Amino acid sequence: MSAPSRLGEVMALDRLVHEPARLLILAVLSGAKEVEFGFLEQMSGLSKGNLSSHMSKLEAGGLIEVKKSFRGKRPLTELCITPVGRRALAAYRQQLAAVMQELPGPAASPKRR
């Protein structure tokens, strides 16, 4: 595949995964069996509302599972990546790596006059 058409694959990246906050959520979840909401909130630096919004999009896409329960009398929200989410993250990695290989290196930059 030629460089211009390979670079065009940037537009084909999975936008559900590509968004930085959602990519971070998937990356954290890929390295754990389950993660509590509070931990993910601290790791991401996102507000509760923003994190919840991104979680909802990932859950609707089937990439994560959200489990709600109680620990004593306190609500507990746990998240885990689904097999679909693992496949989507792996496919995203491959697509992004292929695109990055086609980018010209710093030496290929045009010289300024």
Side-chain angles (χ1 to χ4, degrees), residues 15-29:
R15 290 175 190 248
L16 184 59
V17 175
H18 187 64
E19 199 289 325
R22 292 192 290 266
L23 180 57
L24 180 130
I25 292 167
L26 290 171
V28 170
L29 294 179

Side-chain angles (χ1 to χ4, degrees), residues 26-46:
L26 290 171
V28 170
L29 294 179
S30 72
K33 183 177 176 184
E34 287 183 341
V35 172
E36 291 183 16
F37 182 91
F39 175 78
L40 199 51
E41 182 184 11
Q42 288 177 334
M43 289 291 295
S44 68
L46 297 170

